[in-house]
Amino acid sequence: MLLLADDRHDVLDPHGLTAAEIQTRQITPHYLAALQQIPGWQGSYLAQTGPQLGIRESRHLRGIDKVLGDDALTGRRRADAIARCGWPIESHVEQGHTHYVPIKDDGWYHIGLDALRSETTPNLFAAGRLTAADAQAYASLRVMGTSFATGHAAGVAAAHFADFGVDVTRVQSELKRQGALI
């Protein structure tokens, strides 16, 4: 019997997050017992768990622009690019099954600067899992490599904003000077 934590908790609410933490820790011994049934795992034991439940998705920036699933699927190239993403769309629609949808052609697409810029706060930039994206694009760009790239770009953009305002050409030049792959 496969036991799964209820993934319908609102993790932005402290009570919902606490309930999810408790429920996940309650099912942990059941997973260990299942693993101990596998030949060679009989003597396994749980040394520790992570300090906090890993949350895949909770919020996104409301950006000036948004990365769309179609951008990923078609391998969209953009003049305002500040990062690339090469991870396929990773779908977890069916519990226990992962489906990957590849990116067209060269296998990567651009992320534009405006997907990192707040729609309402001019000097606020976000990156990684907070990048403005629809559900399909999010399932591609949420990974660590792309999060590093968008984080780098957001930092450079914020620093340049302080001196020059929003100037994508300056941001791109600085990212390239620092060795970023755009």
Side-chain angles (χ1 to χ4, degrees):
M1 175 173 149
L2 181 63
L3 297 169
L4 297 170
D6 182 352
D7 62 353
R8 293 169 287 182
H9 293 287
D10 178 0
V11 297
L12 298 178
D13 170 59
H15 300 289
L17 179 57
T18 300
E21 293 270 4
I22 291 168
Q23 186 177 17
T24 301
R25 282 172 172 64
Q26 287 173 337
I27 66 172
T28 301
H30 299 284
Y31 276 98
L32 177 60
L35 289 170
Q36 290 171 334
Q37 301 303 309
I38 299 171
W41 285 70
Q42 295 86 350
S44 64
Y45 60 93
L46 180 63
Q48 69 181 35
T49 64
Q52 186 174 13
L53 183 65
I55 307 298
R56 179 175 176 188
E57 182 173 5
S58 60
R59 63 184 83 194
H60 300 273
L61 175 74
R62 185 173 296 141
I64 292 172
D65 194 11
K66 182 187 276 194
V67 183
L68 304 175
D70 195 53
D71 296 336
L73 293 172
T74 63
R76 182 179 180 194
R77 306 305 198 259
R78 306 173 57 113
D80 66 339
I82 46 74
R84 288 184 183 185
C85 179
W87 193 256
I89 293 174
E90 183 181 335
S91 173
H92 299 276
V93 177
E94 225 180 295
Q95 267 189 329
H97 299 283
T98 303
H99 178 69
Y100 295 95
V101 180
I103 300 165
K104 182 183 172 200
D105 297 332
D106 295 328
W108 59 270
Y109 61 94
H110 278 141
I111 297 171
L113 178 61
D114 284 346
L116 307 183
R117 294 179 56 210
S118 169
E119 182 181 82
T120 58
T121 308
N123 64 342
L124 177 63
F125 296 82
R129 292 179 175 197
L130 296 177
T131 300
D134 69 10
Q136 250 191 330
Y138 178 80
S140 169
L141 65 76
R142 67 175 184 79
V143 297
M144 288 176 64
T146 308
S147 293
F148 291 153
T150 56
H152 183 193
V156 168
H160 278 257
F161 181 85
D163 292 329
F164 310 108
V166 176
D167 185 336
V168 71
T169 304
R170 283 182 189 265
V171 172
Q172 290 170 327
S173 294
E174 182 60 21
L175 287 167
K176 288 176 187 174
R177 189 188 73 72
Q178 293 180 16
L181 181 62
I182 305 176

